[in-house]
Amino acid sequence: MLCLLVAALASAAPEHAPWPGGIAVIDVGPAEAPRPIVEFGERRVLVTRVGDRWAAAVGIPLDTPTGEASVRVNTARIVSFEVSDHAYREQHLTVSKSYVTPDEKQLERIGQERKVIDAALTAWRDTPMESVALAAPVEGPRSSSFGLRRFFNDQPRSPHKGMDIAASEGTVINAPGNGIVAATGDYFFNGRTVIIDHGQGFVTMYCHLSDIGVKKGQMVTAGDSIGAVGATGRVTGPHLHFGTYLNGTAVDPALLLP
Ligand SMILES: [Zn+2]
């Protein structure tokens, strides 16, 4: 009985949340057939088995217009879905001028780091996936600030692409699922950062750490310590910025946590 229960939980897809920053869960055929290749735009999409069906979990970019969207299944078949409306809040902040207008040298550094980070966030590793459910990487109050549209000194910035979890400096961060460390670094905006590749384009990111406890290429198991909470990079105090990505797209971590 317990085994059956565990198996049922392990095959669970996320809830269908078809809005910008959400995850569309789309039936893409019977599981007797081999796992299909599903693409959204230019990117492969994660496919898990749910009961006797295959389900695609599509990360929907925050700037996606509402209305009809579609995925391609095995190159030929088009499956449509509806992107619904979702309102995100706005926030106006006053911050140190050097963060608003980086100088030439800082811009060069930011550009180099962007390439490394984007490569890690868009990696595709074709491994079977049983679930995209995650455990919380740290315990603490979770903000609902994913998708928040921020203005620094009245200049619009890209929306907040993660969840901030309040925790004190030095709190151990645990891997929320199995994976391989795709990148680590000390970046201008994100501070000390770890990026984990869980497979099939499912990637998680941990920023502003005081300490990094893993190396690129290292395998991690759910529950392993990967570092500690800090206040490095562009932050006002210690917290964990937790980012979750599907098909290279930031999705709301709250949709993947218990
Ligand atoms: Zn954040």
Side-chain angles (χ1 to χ4, degrees), residues 150 160 162-164 208 239 241:
R150 292 183 294 192
H160 188 234
M163 167 189 275
D164 293 334
H208 314 308
H239 72 275
H241 173 98

Side-chain angles (χ1 to χ4, degrees), residues 86 117 133-134 161 191-192 206 215 237 256:
H86 195 78
I117 294 166
L134 296 174
K161 289 181 177 166
R192 292 195 186 115
Y206 311 81
K215 289 198 164 65
L256 301 163

Side-chain angles (χ1 to χ4, degrees), residues 62-246:
L62 275 165
D63 58 2
T64 305
T66 56
E68 193 177 290
S70 62
V71 292
R72 280 187 311 284
V73 182
N74 290 333
T75 332
R77 188 159 68 95
I78 304 290
V79 179
S80 297
F81 62 98
E82 208 50 33
V83 176
S84 61
D85 196 17
H86 195 78
Y88 291 105
R89 286 179 301 128
E90 280 187 9
Q91 184 183 40
H92 294 258
L93 296 169
T94 304
V95 297
S96 153
K97 205 168 176 221
S98 68
Y99 278 116
V100 177
T101 323
D103 63 32
E104 213 169 298
K105 211 172 153 205
Q106 288 171 324
L107 281 173
E108 198 186 309
R109 176 184 165 189
I110 291 163
Q112 290 298 323
E113 292 174 354
R114 194 67 253 170
K115 281 185 210 160
V116 173
I117 294 166
D118 284 347
L121 295 180
T122 57
W124 179 267
R125 197 160 56 83
D126 199 32
T127 178
M129 297 289 295
E130 291 188 334
S131 171
V132 291
L134 296 174
V138 296
E139 290 306 326
R142 301 170 189 171
S143 77
S144 58
S145 64
F146 178 87
L148 185 72
R149 294 167 57 215
R150 292 183 294 192
F151 297 79
F152 288 169
N153 305 347
D154 289 327
Q155 296 177 27
R157 282 292 177 271
S158 60
H160 188 234
K161 289 181 177 166
M163 167 189 275
D164 293 334
I165 306 177
S168 51
E169 176 114 16
T171 303
V172 169
I173 301 164
N174 300 114
N178 302 340
I180 294 174
V181 178
T184 67
D186 188 354
Y187 306 128
F188 182 78
F189 288 114
N190 298 322
R192 292 195 186 115
T193 296
V194 172
I195 300 175
I196 300 178
D197 171 356
H198 299 280
Q200 285 196 43
F202 182 32
V203 178
T204 56
M205 186 183 200
Y206 311 81
C207 303
H208 314 308
L209 312 192
S210 60
D211 184 51
I212 292 173
V214 287
K215 289 198 164 65
K216 186 181 173 179
Q218 187 178 329
M219 288 187 71
V220 293
T221 302
D224 285 356
S225 165
I226 58 168
V229 172
T232 56
R234 187 187 64 189
V235 283
T236 50
H239 72 275
L240 175 65
H241 173 98
F242 176 45
T244 53
Y245 294 78
L246 284 167

